[in-house]
């Protein structure tokens, strides 16, 4: 039997992409905000219901440049339950990551715990919409206003997500997106920063292009982070299918919830009615009272059924050697994040997952004996 991995990138029909590739060959414009780049920005603004967007070569550079544009100095409060790129972007800006605990239900940064860590050195708050679950944006907006701190959202998982019929990307100083191959919407590699006004977008666009204001004037310490015309061309085609892909993901999540509802040692995700979820991931908690049970289940799924879930996110960011010096676990224990890292796995979910594949994933779990 073929292995079932946690995700598989969706690609549009090649015959729809090839005319755009022919245009690139004919125009000989490969980068530097070419026609495809400009079209994709315009289409994403319409699709996502946002004001401005700047395309980047990947999501990590999008976040790095967004932080750079704010000219911050000091500490940035963020979550340890995230992909390593979130913290990397902080450190690459010579800023200090400060880790706060998460909410045990949404897995998002807890605004109450964040407020406990705000001090005179705090310069920003960086929440993550973990698994596409919206953060408590009202609470974070209030914290930002009360303490005069910018709030930058890592929305890598949250393409197309809405709360109360509004794009989750419209909150905060910035929201950053990833268009990596594993994401709901991919451009092979890519990313973006959603910004509130045109002047901020122009600054971001300068920073991603070496800091150039004109051909002979460099106004800031920029970097090369531009999206290529190839990636933009794929994105233009992908937008025609993203609604279909999200619908298929939501259907798979519904089937998982129905078939796994009777597994009493498994805690399933919940989807509030006021949130339009993209089901970018399907996280479950394993054995709420049995330490180490998660790892045994994962090995069973792999060895017996060739099903490959992922332990997102394990280890916690501050357990990686480079970041270990940034957090005193004994003085500031983060129990919710620690427990989630020991218990959560993400099950395979992607549009091409067949009914037989879903059945195999479910059987790999239900056949496990605690």
């Amino acid at each position: 039997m073929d292995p079932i991995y946690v995700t598989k990138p969706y690609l549009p029909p090649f015959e729809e992409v090839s005319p755009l590739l022919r245009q690139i060959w004919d125009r000989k414009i490969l980068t530097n905000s070419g026609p495809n780049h400009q079209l994709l920005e315009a289409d994403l603004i319409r699709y996502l219901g946002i004001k401005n967007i700047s395309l980047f070569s990947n999501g990590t550079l999008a976040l790095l440049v967004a932080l750079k544009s704010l000219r911050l100095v000091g500490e940035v409060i963020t979550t340890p339950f995230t992909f390593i790129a979130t913290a990397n972007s902080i450190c690459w800006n010579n800023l200090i990551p400060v880790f706060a605990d998460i909410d045990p239900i949404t897995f998002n940064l807890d605004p109450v715990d964040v407020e406990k860590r705000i001090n005179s050195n705090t310069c920003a708050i960086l929440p993550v919409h973990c698994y596409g679950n919206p953060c408590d944006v009202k609470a974070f907006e209030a914290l930002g206003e009360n303490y005069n701190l910018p709030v930058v959202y890592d929305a890598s998982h949250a393409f197309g997500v809405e709360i109360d019929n509004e794009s989750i990307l419209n909150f905060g100083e910035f929201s950053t997106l990833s268009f990596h191959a594993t994401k709901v919407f991919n451009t092979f590699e890519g990313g973006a920063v959603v910004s509130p006004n045109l002047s901020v977008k122009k600054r971001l666009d300068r920073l991603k292009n070496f800091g150039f204001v004109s051909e002979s004037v460099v106004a800031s310490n920029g970097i090369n982070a531009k999206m290529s015309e190839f990636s933009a061309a794929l994105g233009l085609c992908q937008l025609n299918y993203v609604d279909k892909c999200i619908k298929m993901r939501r259907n798979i999540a519904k089937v998982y919830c129905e078939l796994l509802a009777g597994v009493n040692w498994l805690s399933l995700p919940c989807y509030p009615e006021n949130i339009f979820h993209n089901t970018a991931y399907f996280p479950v908690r394993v054995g709420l009272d049995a330490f180490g049970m998660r790892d045994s289940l994962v090995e069973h799924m792999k060895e017996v059924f060739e099903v490959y879930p992922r332990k997102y996110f394990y280890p916690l960011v501050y357990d990686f050697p480079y970041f270990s010096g940034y957090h005193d676990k004994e003085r500031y224990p983060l129990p919710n994040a620690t427990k989630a890292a020991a218990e959560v796995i993400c099950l395979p979910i992607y549009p091409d997952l067949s009914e037989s594949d879903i059945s195999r994933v479910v059987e790999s779990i239900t056949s496990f004996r605690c």
Side-chain angles (χ1 to χ4, degrees):
M1 53 187 170
D2 294 329
I4 301 174
Y5 296 108
V6 70
T7 190
K8 183 186 293 184
Y10 179 84
L11 293 173
F14 183 76
E15 57 269 20
E16 294 185 16
V17 182
S18 57
L20 295 181
L21 298 182
R22 169 53 61 190
Q23 291 174 11
I24 293 172
W25 250 255
D26 292 342
R27 286 190 296 246
K28 303 295 190 295
I29 299 173
L30 307 184
T31 184
N32 286 357
S33 191
N36 289 331
H37 179 286
Q38 294 179 46
L39 282 173
L40 182 56
E41 285 195 344
D43 285 358
L44 285 171
I45 286 172
R46 286 191 292 268
Y47 179 84
L48 294 169
I50 55 178
K51 296 178 181 178
N52 300 282
I53 193 167
S54 298
L55 298 179
F56 282 76
S57 54
N58 61 64
T60 302
L61 283 170
L63 183 54
L64 192 152
V65 171
L67 293 172
K68 176 75 171 179
S69 73
L70 295 173
R71 301 184 179 95
L72 302 172
V73 177
E75 300 176 349
V76 178
I77 302 176
T78 193
T79 171
F81 193 73
T82 184
F83 187 60
I84 194 68
T86 306
N88 281 345
S89 299
I90 294 171
C91 292
W92 270 79
N93 277 285
N94 293 317
L95 302 169
I96 299 171
V98 172
F99 299 105
D101 210 358
I102 64 172
D103 178 273
I105 304 299
T106 66
F107 305 109
N108 287 324
L109 195 61
D110 178 6
V112 174
D113 203 51
V114 167
E115 187 167 21
K116 295 176 183 177
R117 283 159 174 71
I118 294 175
N119 59 48
S120 59
N121 295 319
T122 306
C123 63
I125 304 171
L126 177 51
V128 177
H129 298 302
C130 190
Y131 307 134
N133 296 321
C135 293
D136 187 345
V137 289
K138 290 183 179 179
F140 283 117
E141 300 296 292
L143 283 178
E145 185 174 346
N146 293 341
Y147 292 94
N148 193 29
L149 295 171
V151 180
V152 177
Y153 291 99
D154 181 340
S156 296
H157 305 171
F159 186 92
V161 174
E162 296 179 353
I163 183 167
D164 296 323
N165 297 313
E166 181 176 3
S167 173
I168 199 67
L169 304 176
N170 284 326
F171 295 89
E173 195 81 20
F174 299 113
S175 290
T176 67
L177 289 162
S178 170
F179 303 149
H180 184 261
T182 58
K183 299 300 188 288
V184 168
F185 173 84
N186 81 77
T187 59
F188 295 147
E189 279 277 10
V193 181
V194 176
S195 52
N197 59 61
L198 192 58
S199 64
V200 173
K201 172 183 163 49
K202 288 180 178 179
R203 174 165 172 74
L204 292 168
D205 289 345
R206 289 196 300 269
L207 284 170
K208 75 175 183 182
N209 187 31
F210 305 100
F212 278 110
V213 175
S214 66
E215 186 175 345
S216 57
V217 177
V218 174
S220 53
N221 182 21
I223 196 170
N224 183 9
K226 303 181 297 293
M227 177 179 281
S228 76
E229 284 291 277
F230 292 90
S231 290
L234 178 64
L236 288 169
C237 294
Q238 293 281 43
L239 267 181
N240 296 326
Y241 294 91
V242 70
D243 285 338
K244 173 186 173 182
C245 289
I246 291 174
K247 183 178 180 180
M248 294 172 76
R249 286 174 172 274
R250 287 163 64 92
N251 287 338
I252 292 168
K254 182 179 179 181
V255 173
Y256 271 150
C257 287
E258 291 171 353
L259 296 180
L260 294 171
V263 182
N264 59 13
W265 44 264
L266 205 65
S267 199
L268 304 175
C270 61
Y271 302 106
E273 291 185 1
N274 69 322
I275 294 172
F276 179 81
H277 209 294
N278 63 10
T279 49
Y281 300 83
F282 193 85
V284 298
R285 298 188 76 131
V286 180
L288 297 179
D289 298 313
F291 182 78
M293 180 176 164
R294 187 268 308 270
D295 292 350
S296 298
L297 171 65
V298 169
E299 290 308 308
H300 171 78
M301 296 173 74
K302 291 179 179 178
E303 292 178 6
V304 180
F305 291 88
E306 288 196 58
V307 173
Y308 293 83
R310 288 291 297 270
K311 294 185 283 188
Y312 286 141
F313 291 98
Y314 173 86
L316 295 174
V317 170
Y318 57 64
D319 284 328
F320 286 103
Y322 176 78
F323 291 96
S324 61
Y326 286 106
H327 188 78
D328 186 339
K329 291 189 286 187
E330 293 186 4
R331 187 177 179 187
Y332 299 110
L334 306 181
N336 293 333
T338 301
K339 194 169 178 61
E343 295 174 350
V344 173
I345 60 171
C346 288
L347 302 186
I349 187 166
Y350 47 88
D352 292 335
L353 198 67
S354 67
E355 290 185 10
S356 61
D357 288 339
I358 295 171
S359 297
R360 199 163 111 208
V361 173
V362 170
E363 186 181 0
S364 74
I365 294 170
T366 57
S367 64
F368 178 67
R369 295 296 173 259
C370 308

